[in-house]
Amino acid sequence: MKLIQILKVAVIPVLTVFSFVSTSNIALADYLNSEGSGGNYRYELWSNDDSSGYYLKIWLNEASPKSYPYYTTRTFTSSREALINFDCNYAEKSLPECPR
């Protein structure tokens, strides 16, 4: 009986601390940086926790704001690169940065 009480007192706090430590790495979130539109599309620019990567969620203009994105891009190394991608491929802008 005494062994069970000792285990309860020792093991439960250790497991609790371990669960907090392990979930702190899981709780990372992405952040919405900006929104915009061009052509027939609108976008949200998202970044990860440490701003080392950016990606776009893209919708058709007439799509509901609550709907799933029409497309989610790959990760870019800068917000500028992500927005140039949107301008060239969705907003149909003719920028010097756009591939010919």
Side-chain angles (χ1 to χ4, degrees):
M1 183 70 176
K2 198 169 195 170
L3 179 62
I4 292 173
Q5 288 176 333
I6 292 172
L7 286 176
K8 284 182 183 178
V9 170
V11 173
I12 291 175
V14 169
L15 290 176
T16 303
V17 168
F18 179 73
S19 69
F20 283 124
V21 170
S22 65
T23 57
S24 66
N25 290 333
I26 296 170
L28 299 176
D30 289 351
Y31 297 99
L32 177 61
N33 292 84
S34 67
E35 300 173 274
S37 63
N40 295 322
Y41 300 92
R42 58 188 166 80
Y43 69 85
E44 292 178 350
L45 175 65
W46 291 80
S47 66
N48 56 17
D49 266 351
D50 61 359
S51 296
S52 64
Y54 297 85
Y55 63 93
L56 297 168
K57 292 183 180 181
I58 299 169
W59 290 263
L60 290 168
N61 275 332
E62 61 270 3
S64 165
K66 305 252 185 235
S67 66
Y68 285 103
Y70 165 77
Y71 186 71
T72 301
T73 65
R74 66 178 174 84
T75 302
F76 298 95
T77 55
S78 70
S79 59
R80 181 179 186 276
E81 184 184 4
L83 294 174
I84 287 171
N85 175 272
F86 178 83
D87 287 342
C88 295
N89 296 309
Y90 296 94
E92 299 174 359
K93 291 184 180 178
S94 181
L95 303 174
E97 296 90 340
C98 295
R100 305 263 180 234

